[in-house]
């Protein structure tokens, strides 16, 4: 639908209202000395948004169909002008009603030619002279005289105006990233490299770093003389920020590295908020920069001068490490712990953060398939490196905690519960080795680590129950405050974030059933009929808790089966028709196919028959899914197995159908046009490729969830 004109005008006004005036007007009008430069910048801004006509009738006004929008433009322009003049100038125009009135007032007050003419007119009026309106030729003469006068002023002593124009050119060239123009200006006046622009006290280096012009920053640093590097790089803006502070804040990693290499003392300089670049990087979530700066500080023996070093024996240091671990920057966290080991024993938050975010070292199906022959794939490499760094962080943290002989158990008793909730098997193993009784600690609800493992479906933690010796027998009869045994806990619906580990309601229900069946094997047979405080047995709890999930799983299964059965039926129809009307036709006398002796015809016959058989089988399997009872136990093995068979046979039927189709095209056309073989093969592979790409992950998930056991009876020992 086309956008109406009023809507376009609203968008144009919205665009203008979001303009950053400081990008165009770099100074505040203070008087005649900078009026010309201020006016030039304001006209550039107004011209960008077609607003010059609001103050000068020689230009077109903004296109507006309503008076309301025109008033909005006028108010916007007046606001721009008010924001770009000094307080003294503002007092003379603040009460004027329109942007044109404000503009004319400023022009008459500060434009040298207009001001002189205005004084002359007033003098003539006082003397009783009649002032004749000027003709167009006279107006041109006045304008020429005005320009000539300004030129004379500049040549004869308008150094301030000239300097402001040069500064503006330098600012404009820096914003545009033009090193050629910047170099030309700086060669004429090398002192400008230290000159602060009127906005925020930024130098040309600050501006180049903040905008992100890599080449400009690099060439600018080479341009600066060695004896001036220290002073220029340590120069700060109004916020007390050096160029390194700015580079860190905006994430300009290239400029940050150049600045650190050029002047190492920048690492310890602080801004007005008492933040050095390292803390600035952390507060701005620039973790890669944080890691680089900390490494640079360590290599240059400046760690003790950092703000972090002054956080000793406070929660600030521990909080810093916690946030680093939470961001999964384990390598940086390890360096911090090695430099400040006292941070990790301030409280148990560091160890708790490790338990919550500890990465899994396990590779999925595809990663295991390609890992040995292709060891350098970045994703797999990073996954292994993350686990290795996290393990080092865990070991280093526990080493520091073990030095606290009398209070170390306080660190472990809460963390092991957290590890049970987040399925952090490595953390659980490490704590269990260092504090054998820690698994007996309980949370506020009275659950210990193994009970939490069942509630949160943490199979890595549950596996350790098999190596607990005689202690595991107590879990066969243990109950909570509501008389729920372990089987009751397994019958409860898992938390939503745990369910989302599986794709689709059917697989989620299957995983719930697997946990319930596993606990049935572990518990005493009598536990199945035990009632809790509410008079419910574990099977009754399971049915009640999973009622909605069963319905969702049924809907998902039916939808999938219906879609696939339609596809299978279409394939069956197509290949059956192709079998009757063979390519090339039949001999009218004998009824034998004309191409029966061609190898391509044999391929067609075999693939067509295979496609017919597999598509029919697939159709039957999907129909069996649609007609099943959808009982809870059907989701454990029966339904997933049928879906696997149906999808695999459907994939095979599609593949065979495309082979048959390709063989047919070859028989009909490729004998005379051999070049068609390539395109036929290529296009025939497209449907197969699409199906494999879209459906194979589901088949793999179904197979792994159904046939790959999730429980390992041999406990994982952390080394």
């Amino acid at each position: 639908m086309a956008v109406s004109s009023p809507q376009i005008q609203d968008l144009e006004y919205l665009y203008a209202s979001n303009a950053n005036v400081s990008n165009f007007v770099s100074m505040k009008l203070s008087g005649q000395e900078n009026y010309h430069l201020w006016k030039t910048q304001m006209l550039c801004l107004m011209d960008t948004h077609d607003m010059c006509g609001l103050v000068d009738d020689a230009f077109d006004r903004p296109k507006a169909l309503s008076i309301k929008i025109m008033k909005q433009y006028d108010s916007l322009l007046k606001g721009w002008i008010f924001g770009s003049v000094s307080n003294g100038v503002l007092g003379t125009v603040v009460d004027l009603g329109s942007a044109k009135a404000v503009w004319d007032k400023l022009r008459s007050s500060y434009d040298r030619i207009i001001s002189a003419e205005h004084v002359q007119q007033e003098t003539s009026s006082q003397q009783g002279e009649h002032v004749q309106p000027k003709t167009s030729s006279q107006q041109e003469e006045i304008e020429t005289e005005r320009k000539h006068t300004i030129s004379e002023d500049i040549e004869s002593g308008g150094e301030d105006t000239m300097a402001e124009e040069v500064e503006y050119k330098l600012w404009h060239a820096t914003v545009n990233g033009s090193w050629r123009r910047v170099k030309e200006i700086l060669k004429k006046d090398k002192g400008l490299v230290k000159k602060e622009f009127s906005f925020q006290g930024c130098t040309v280096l600050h501006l180049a770093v903040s905008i992100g012009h890599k080449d400009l920053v690099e060439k600018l640093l080479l341009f600066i003389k060695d004896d001036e590097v220290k002073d220029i790089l340590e120069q700060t803006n109004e916020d007390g920020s050096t160029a390194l502070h700015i580079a860190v804040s905006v994430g300009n990693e290239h400029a940050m590295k150049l600045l650190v290499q050029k002047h190492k003392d920048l690492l310890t300089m602080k801004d007005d908020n008492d933040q050095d670049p390292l803390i600035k990087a952390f507060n701005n979530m620039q973790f890669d920069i944080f890691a680089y700066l900390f490494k640079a500080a360590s290599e240059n023996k400046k760690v003790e001068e950092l703000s972090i070093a002054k956080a000793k024996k406070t929660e600030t240091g521990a909080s810093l490490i916690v946030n680093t671990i939470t961001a999964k920057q384990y390598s940086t966290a390890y360096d911090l712990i090695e430099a400040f080991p006292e941070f990790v024993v301030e409280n148990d938050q560091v160890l708790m953060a490790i338990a919550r975010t500890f990465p899994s070292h396990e590779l999925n199906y595809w990663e295991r398939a390609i890992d040995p022959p292709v060891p350098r794939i970045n994703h797999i490499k990073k996954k292994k490196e993350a686990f290795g760094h996290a393990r080092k962080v865990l070991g280093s943290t526990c080493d520091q905690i073990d030095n606290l002989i009398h209070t170390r158990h306080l660190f472990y008793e809460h963390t092991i519960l957290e590890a049970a909730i987040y399925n952090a098997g490595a953390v659980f193993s490490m704590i269990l080795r260092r504090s054998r009784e820690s698994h007996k600690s309980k949370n506020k609800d009275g659950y210990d680590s193994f009970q939490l493992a069942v509630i949160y479906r943490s199979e890595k933690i549950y596996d350790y129950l098999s190596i607990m010796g005689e202690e595991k027998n107590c879990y066969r009869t243990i109950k909570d405050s509501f008389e729920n045994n372990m089987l009751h806990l397994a019958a409860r619906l898992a938390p939503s974030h745990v369910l989302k580990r599986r794709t689709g309601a059917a697989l989620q229900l299957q995983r719930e059933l697997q946990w319930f069946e596993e606990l049935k094997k572990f518990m005493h047979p009598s536990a199945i009929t035990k009632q809790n405080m509410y008079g419910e047995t574990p099977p009754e709890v399971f049915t009640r808790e999973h009622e909605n999930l069963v319905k969702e799983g049924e809907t998902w299964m039916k939808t999938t089966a219906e879609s696939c059965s339609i596809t299978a039926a279409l394939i069956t129809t197509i290949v059956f028709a192709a079998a009757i009307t063979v390519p090339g036709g039949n001999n009218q006398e004998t009824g034998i196919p004309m191409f029966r002796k061609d190898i391509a015809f044999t391929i067609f016959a075999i693939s067509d028959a295979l496609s017919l058989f597999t598509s029919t089988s697939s159709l039957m399997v999907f129909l069996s899914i649609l007609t099943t009872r959808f009982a809870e136990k059907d989701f454990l093995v029966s339904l997933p197995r049928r879906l696997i068979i149906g999808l695999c046979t459907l994939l095979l039927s599609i593949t065979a159908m495309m082979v048959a189709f390709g063989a047919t095209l070859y028989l009909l056309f490729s004998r005379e046009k051999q070049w068609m073989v390539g395109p036929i093969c290529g296009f025939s592979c497209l449907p197969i490729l699409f199906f494999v790409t879209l459906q194979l992950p589901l088949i793999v998930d179904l197979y792994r969830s159904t046939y790959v056991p999730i429980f390992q009876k041999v406990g994982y020992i952390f080394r």
Side-chain angles (χ1 to χ4, degrees):
M1 182 177 67
V3 181
S4 63
S5 296
Q7 289 176 316
I8 294 175
Q9 292 158 18
D10 289 342
L11 292 174
E12 290 175 348
Y13 172 75
L14 181 62
Y15 171 70
S17 64
N18 288 325
N20 190 346
V21 180
S22 62
N23 285 341
F24 292 87
V25 185
S26 61
M27 63 189 64
K28 288 185 178 292
L29 174 62
S30 58
Q32 285 187 345
E33 64 277 1
N34 69 342
Y35 173 78
H36 177 65
L37 185 57
W38 174 86
K39 175 186 174 183
T40 303
Q41 295 181 5
M42 279 299 301
L43 287 174
C44 289
L45 173 61
M46 288 187 284
D47 184 58
T48 302
H49 300 284
D50 296 328
M51 295 170 65
C52 292
L54 294 174
V55 298
D56 192 339
D57 294 334
F59 297 91
D60 293 332
R61 286 172 167 263
K63 297 178 181 179
L65 298 179
S66 66
I67 298 176
K68 178 182 177 181
I69 296 180
M70 187 60 72
K71 287 183 177 179
Q72 289 176 337
Y73 271 110
D74 190 81
S75 298
L76 178 63
L77 179 54
K78 188 166 66 172
W80 286 352
I81 297 174
F82 286 169
S84 61
V85 299
S86 65
N87 292 336
V89 175
L90 181 61
T92 64
V93 296
V94 70
D95 295 326
L96 298 179
S98 66
K100 180 172 174 52
V102 174
W103 184 265
D104 290 342
K105 175 66 175 178
L106 295 176
R107 185 165 179 261
S108 64
S109 299
Y110 302 114
D111 192 308
R112 288 185 173 90
I113 298 299
I114 301 300
S115 298
E117 180 186 352
H118 181 66
V119 172
Q120 182 180 0
Q121 288 178 352
E122 287 185 350
T123 304
S124 300
S125 298
Q126 292 173 0
Q127 294 175 355
E129 297 179 3
H130 178 67
V131 181
Q132 296 290 338
K134 295 179 175 56
T135 63
S136 59
S137 59
Q138 290 175 325
Q139 291 287 357
E140 292 178 0
E141 291 178 2
I142 291 174
E143 184 66 20
T144 303
E145 183 180 355
R146 184 180 71 83
K147 293 180 180 179
H148 180 68
T149 303
I150 292 175
S151 299
E152 288 181 347
D153 289 343
I154 293 174
E155 293 175 0
S156 62
E159 292 85 358
D160 292 340
T161 303
M162 176 65 77
E164 289 174 355
E165 289 185 355
V166 172
E167 288 178 23
Y168 173 72
K169 290 180 180 179
L170 178 60
W171 170 83
H172 192 270
T174 305
V175 170
N176 291 327
S178 175
W179 167 244
R180 181 182 61 81
R181 294 171 59 193
V182 170
K183 185 178 180 181
E184 290 176 357
I185 297 172
L186 293 180
K187 277 188 173 181
K188 294 179 181 178
D189 186 358
K190 295 184 179 179
L192 288 175
V193 75
K194 299 180 181 180
K195 180 69 176 178
E196 295 180 357
F197 293 113
S198 58
F199 53 96
Q200 297 182 349
C202 291
T203 65
V204 62
L205 180 61
H206 291 152
L207 190 60
V209 169
S210 64
I211 294 176
H213 295 308
K214 295 181 180 179
D215 293 339
L216 182 58
V217 174
E218 188 172 350
K219 292 176 180 178
L220 193 59
L221 291 175
L222 293 174
F223 178 82
I224 300 172
K225 295 181 178 180
D226 293 339
D227 57 344
E228 296 179 339
V229 167
K230 183 177 184 297
D231 294 336
I232 294 176
L233 266 60
E234 291 183 358
Q235 197 168 352
T236 61
N237 61 10
E238 292 179 356
D239 299 329
S241 298
T242 64
L244 183 58
H245 282 96
I246 296 174
V248 166
S249 298
V250 301
N252 191 341
E253 190 170 349
H254 180 73
M256 176 271 300
K257 291 180 179 179
L258 292 175
L259 292 168
V260 171
Q261 293 169 4
K262 201 76 172 177
H263 189 37
K264 302 295 190 299
D265 291 341
L266 292 176
L267 291 167
T268 57
M269 289 191 65
K270 299 178 181 178
D271 60 12
D272 292 345
N273 294 322
D274 202 33
Q275 293 183 350
D276 58 28
L278 197 72
I279 296 297
K280 197 89 170 179
F282 187 82
N283 291 338
N284 285 277
M285 305 293 288
Q286 304 290 349
F287 294 112
D288 291 337
I289 292 179
F290 177 88
Y292 181 89
L293 292 176
F294 186 79
K295 183 178 180 181
S298 301
E299 292 174 350
N300 291 278
K301 311 297 182 183
K302 293 184 178 293
V303 172
E304 293 299 325
E305 301 177 35
L306 298 173
S307 299
I308 305 175
K310 298 180 180 180
K312 291 181 178 179
K313 297 183 180 180
T314 67
E315 293 185 358
T316 305
S319 176
L320 183 65
I321 297 179
V322 167
N323 291 331
T324 307
I325 293 172
T326 304
K328 298 187 178 181
Q329 301 292 319
Y330 301 109
S331 178
T332 305
Y334 178 75
D335 293 337
L336 287 172
I337 293 172
E338 289 296 301
F340 309 108
E342 59 273 18
F343 287 168
V344 300
V345 295
E346 185 66 31
N347 50 50
D348 64 353
Q349 293 304 308
V350 173
L351 198 56
M352 294 280 277
I354 297 173
R356 294 189 186 104
T357 63
F358 200 89
S360 172
H361 70 291
E362 296 179 356
L363 303 179
N364 60 34
Y365 173 80
W366 298 110
E367 291 169 340
R368 286 198 301 271
I370 64 177
D371 182 37
V374 193
R376 293 187 178 274
I377 291 183
N378 287 334
H379 171 70
I380 300 175
K381 184 179 179 181
K382 289 180 179 179
K383 197 170 183 178
K384 290 184 174 181
E385 287 179 351
F387 178 79
H389 291 313
R391 185 170 60 180
K392 290 171 63 178
V393 170
L394 175 62
S396 180
T397 302
C398 290
D399 289 341
Q400 298 300 323
I401 293 174
D402 286 345
N403 294 329
L404 305 174
I405 300 175
H406 300 292
T407 59
R408 66 177 185 175
H409 66 281
L410 298 176
F411 287 83
Y412 291 141
E413 63 182 11
H414 293 103
T415 306
I416 198 168
L417 297 176
E418 204 74 8
I421 292 174
Y422 287 91
N423 200 23
V427 179
F428 187 88
S429 174
M430 175 69 77
I431 295 175
L432 202 60
R433 289 174 55 192
R434 294 172 183 258
S435 179
R436 189 69 175 82
E437 301 297 318
S438 59
H439 73 281
K440 296 180 180 179
S441 59
K442 298 183 178 182
N443 66 0
K444 61 181 181 180
D445 296 322
Y447 295 122
D448 66 11
S449 54
F450 288 112
Q451 288 175 303
L452 289 173
V454 174
I455 294 173
Y456 288 92
R457 309 299 191 255
S458 301
E459 64 276 359
K460 294 179 183 178
I461 310 303
Y462 177 80
D463 289 342
Y464 285 96
L465 194 58
S466 62
I467 61 170
M468 295 304 294
E470 293 296 325
E471 290 185 59
K472 69 180 179 182
N473 291 327
C474 69
Y475 288 97
R476 302 182 194 275
T477 57
I478 192 172
K479 294 183 179 181
D480 64 8
S481 58
F482 297 99
E483 297 295 319
N484 291 311
N485 58 32
M486 292 279 278
L487 194 55
H488 281 99
L489 299 181
R492 287 161 51 175
L493 183 66
S496 59
H497 70 276
V498 176
L499 287 175
K500 290 178 181 178
R501 295 174 187 169
R502 311 303 302 167
T503 56
L507 293 183
Q508 292 172 359
L509 182 57
Q510 183 189 45
R511 182 52 53 91
E512 292 288 276
L513 286 165
Q514 289 171 342
W515 269 94
F516 190 71
E517 293 298 320
E518 172 63 25
L519 266 295
K520 282 174 65 175
K521 297 176 184 177
F522 173 76
M523 300 293 290
H524 194 275
S526 62
I528 300 176
T529 58
K530 291 289 184 181
Q531 294 182 341
N532 60 14
M533 182 183 293
Y534 303 102
E536 292 180 312
T537 62
E540 291 172 344
V541 173
F542 188 92
T543 300
R544 175 176 55 80
E545 291 272 334
H546 295 82
E547 181 179 0
N548 291 332
L549 193 60
V550 171
K551 293 179 181 178
E552 293 174 6
E554 178 181 349
T555 302
W556 183 83
M557 274 286 182
K558 284 184 175 180
T559 302
T560 305
E562 286 174 356
S563 302
C564 293
S565 61
I566 293 173
T567 305
L570 289 174
I571 294 174
T572 302
T573 304
I574 293 171
V575 296
F576 183 79
I580 297 175
T581 57
V582 295
N586 301 323
N587 189 302
Q588 296 297 325
E589 297 179 357
T590 62
I592 299 175
M594 300 295 293
F595 294 136
R596 70 183 186 281
K597 295 182 179 180
D598 283 283
I599 186 65
F601 184 82
T602 304
I603 294 174
F604 161 78
I606 295 174
S607 57
D608 190 77
L610 180 61
S611 180
L612 178 62
F613 300 151
T614 52
S615 62
T616 305
S617 301
S618 177
L619 181 59
M620 293 298 101
V621 171
F622 288 125
L623 288 177
S624 71
I625 293 176
L626 293 173
T627 57
T628 193
R629 299 169 301 163
F630 290 101
E632 290 174 357
K633 290 187 177 181
D634 291 338
F635 288 91
L636 184 60
V637 176
S638 176
L639 287 173
R641 181 171 56 198
R642 294 183 193 182
L643 192 57
I644 292 172
I645 295 173
L647 289 172
C648 289
T649 52
L650 182 60
L651 173 60
L652 188 57
S653 68
I654 292 175
T655 304
M657 179 184 67
M658 297 313 300
V659 172
F661 180 74
T664 301
L665 292 180
Y666 177 81
L667 285 170
L668 297 178
F669 302 107
S670 295
R671 292 188 175 186
E672 298 179 358
K673 300 177 181 179
Q674 294 293 329
W675 60 268
M676 293 184 64
V677 175
I680 289 173
C681 295
F683 287 117
S684 296
C685 292
L686 283 179
I688 303 170
L689 180 62
F690 288 149
F691 188 90
V692 170
T693 303
L694 299 175
Q695 298 299 330
L696 190 59
L698 175 60
I699 297 174
V700 172
D701 283 343
L702 285 166
Y703 178 82
R704 292 184 61 198
S705 182
T706 305
Y707 296 108
V708 178
I710 61 173
F711 301 102
Q712 304 293 331
K713 293 307 177 184
V714 178
Y716 171 71
I717 302 300
F718 185 87
R719 291 184 176 87

